[in-house]
Amino acid sequence: MEKICLDNKTIFVTGSAGFIGSNLVKRLFKDVKDATIIGIDNMNDYYDVALKEYRLRELDALAATYHSSHITYHFIKGDIADKAVIDGIFEEYKPQVVVNLAAQAGVRYSITNPDAYIQSNLIGFYNILEACRNFPVEHLVYASSSSVYGSNKKVPYSTDDKVDNPVSLYAATKKSNELMAHAYSKLYNIPSTGLRFFTVYGPAGRPDMAYFGFTNKLRKGETIQIFNYGNCMRDFTYVDDIVEGVVRIMQGAPEKKQGEDGLPLPPYAVYNIGNNQPENLLNFVDILQQELIRAKVLPEDYDFEAHKKLVPMQPGDVPTTYADTSALERDYGFKPCTPLRDGLRAFAEWYKEFYG
């Protein structure tokens, strides 16, 4: 592994107004010295743009605070699917470390809006890879997803498992990202690391995620649907744990080596980042409603049982996600560990403050 010091570097974060992206930029402001951080986001309306604008305001305020540690921060409203925009950023700023978090997310949305996934997740990622080829970088880190495990029966999911059975277009695009990155690593010796994230949650998260959608509905007195009759297991991973993993991995790139044929061996790796402790969905929802009552989002006498409905599995969903994180622990000395109740408490308190 090649050690990379992030101080004095130019770091390019795509999807920087997104949930993980904005939290990563915040962390870099705190940890990195004498760095230039470039963020890009297309600010699309897949979910409430006000939430993305809120995250950007937070970043602007923090950037001013950390300016004394010589952090230079630029935000660009643009789309990674626009090749001219990406090439222009690489030409102007010449980033040494690139973290590609921009993507069209969501399993269910990929069934009704496939075009968005081809544009962002395939064409957009291709533009990033081409730019990394033409303006060599020290490390490309990119988001993959636990969705690539598809209908695999073996748990916990290991990065050594075959992942050839996607059950949604979203999953297929993320697996494609891993294949494209491998090809570019092999052909052009670009150190790249893919990260398979497992059900990320936390304050100011994505409203299309179950915990956020459940909260919105419960607050309005609507009924929530719990799929697969509650028999789903999810490896919920708190956003701070995801960011910790990303920052550690940014600083350790796969090593460039030559094979016996004199050609480069691809400096390529993929890791799971998950809590390594799947939770039953019914238990998850029970803890969520307890924390929503504690934060006074819901009244103390809220009749939770009257507002939940057990329904069959949806197309594109899988019954279980469960991360084997042994490789992450071995190579980077890190394992996500935030207890579910702590994470949901932080979300509930943020929700109360944000929505009143």
Side-chain angles (χ1 to χ4, degrees), residues 33-269:
K33 300 283 183 279
D34 298 312
T36 299
I37 298 168
I38 315 298
I40 187 172
D41 204 291
N42 66 4
M43 303 295 286
N44 70 26
D45 61 359
Y46 167 62
Y47 61 78
D48 187 1
V49 177
L51 203 50
K52 299 178 185 183
E53 290 168 343
Y54 161 80
R55 298 182 191 128
L56 287 183
R57 285 196 301 275
E58 279 201 318
L59 291 181
D60 285 340
L62 270 179
T65 304
Y66 286 103
H67 196 68
S68 57
S69 59
H70 307 290
I71 288 287
T72 304
Y73 165 64
H74 301 284
F75 173 74
I76 296 154
K77 184 180 177 184
D79 198 321
I80 63 168
D82 186 332
K83 191 169 174 54
V85 167
I86 294 303
D87 288 349
I89 289 168
F90 274 75
E91 275 176 30
E92 183 174 353
Y93 296 105
K94 297 179 175 56
Q96 291 122 313
V97 178
V98 176
V99 185
N100 185 62
L101 300 171
Q104 181 55 61
V107 168
R108 289 163 204 156
Y109 191 70
S110 71
I111 294 169
T112 53
N113 294 271
D115 286 8
Y117 293 77
I118 301 305
Q119 279 294 116
S120 187
N121 301 8
L122 296 185
I123 295 170
F125 190 58
Y126 160 75
N127 289 339
I128 296 290
L129 288 171
E130 273 290 287
C132 290
R133 169 167 83 100
N134 294 321
F135 302 90
V137 298
E138 293 177 32
H139 196 187
L140 165 63
V141 180
Y142 62 94
S144 184
S145 167
S146 61
S147 297
V148 301
Y149 291 105
S151 54
N152 283 14
K153 297 290 186 281
K154 175 187 153 288
V155 290
Y157 295 151
S158 165
T159 50
D160 295 329
D161 300 340
K162 279 186 102 56
V163 285
D164 298 332
N165 303 293
V167 296
S168 68
L169 178 65
Y170 170 65
T173 63
K174 286 302 185 178
K175 172 61 177 170
S176 300
N177 286 175
E178 296 178 7
L179 295 171
M180 292 161 74
H182 187 279
Y184 272 71
S185 286
K186 172 67 177 169
L187 288 168
Y188 309 114
N189 219 13
I190 300 168
S192 72
T193 305
L195 305 178
R196 293 174 180 171
F197 297 143
F198 282 70
T199 316
V200 190
Y201 75 102
R206 279 176 30 213
D208 63 316
M209 297 293 281
Y211 71 100
F212 207 132
F214 286 167
T215 301
N216 287 339
K217 286 192 168 183
L218 292 171
R219 184 166 167 253
K220 293 176 189 167
E222 297 173 6
T223 300
I224 62 171
Q225 294 187 327
I226 301 176
F227 294 103
N228 203 30
Y229 306 103
N231 298 316
C232 282
M233 302 289 285
R234 287 286 178 271
D235 211 341
F236 295 100
T237 316
Y238 190 58
V239 66
D240 288 2
D241 286 336
I242 292 285
V243 168
E244 177 67 32
V246 173
V247 170
R248 290 189 186 216
I249 284 164
M250 287 168 71
Q251 297 173 82
E255 207 171 335
K256 293 183 179 181
K257 293 178 183 172
Q258 280 198 324
E260 291 175 3
D261 58 2
L263 295 172
L265 295 169
Y268 170 89

Side-chain angles (χ1 to χ4, degrees), residues 265-285:
L265 295 169
Y268 170 89
V270 175
Y271 293 92
N272 288 332
I273 305 188
N275 215 43
N276 191 230
Q277 193 177 335
E279 297 278 351
N280 178 278
L281 196 52
L282 281 174
N283 182 51
F284 171 82
V285 173

